[in-house]
């Protein structure tokens, strides 16, 4: 099961996780995205990203807090339709849950 980047990453976009990922499966578009996204098809579930996140935004999908379960779908969506993922992040962060 892949790791997921949840709400605490929004508007932080610290890239420590990107630097330690051995398969380069964490991405974002600078200037467009408010959070980082883990590719669920590329993630090897190594967990290297989790301890380096300064805002504790990264979780194994099984351990994702209930309130943030939506972020598993959002991470996967970004790799198919980045604009739709960005809209969902904005709606969750700015428009409530």
């Amino acid at each position: 099961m892949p790791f997921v980047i949840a709400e605490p990453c929004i508007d932080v976009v610290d890239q420590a996780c990107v630097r330690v990922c051995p398969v380069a499966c964490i991405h974002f578009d600078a200037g467009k995205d408010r959070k980082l996204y883990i590719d669920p098809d590329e993630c090897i579930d190594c967990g290297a990203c989790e301890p380096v996140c300064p805002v504790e935004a990264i979780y194994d999908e099984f351990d994702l807090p209930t309130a943030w379960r939506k972020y598993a779908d959002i991470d996967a969506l970004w790799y198919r339709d980045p604009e739709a993922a960005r809209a969902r992040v904005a709606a969750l962060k700015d428009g409530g849950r």
Side-chain angles (χ1 to χ4, degrees), residues 25-77:
C25 70
I26 304 171
H27 303 276
F28 77 110
D29 289 332
K32 290 185 177 182
D33 288 307
R34 296 175 64 184
K35 70 179 280 305
L36 302 167
Y37 300 89
I38 295 177
D39 186 335
D41 295 327
E42 298 293 325
C43 180
I44 60 171
D45 201 26
C46 69
C49 56
E50 187 177 23
V52 300
C53 180
V55 293
E56 298 179 13
I58 302 174
Y59 294 86
D60 182 291
E61 190 170 8
F62 285 124
D63 297 328
L64 197 59
T66 303
W68 293 337
R69 293 207 187 266
K70 312 169 186 71
Y71 288 93
D73 292 335
I74 292 171
D75 274 15
L77 178 61

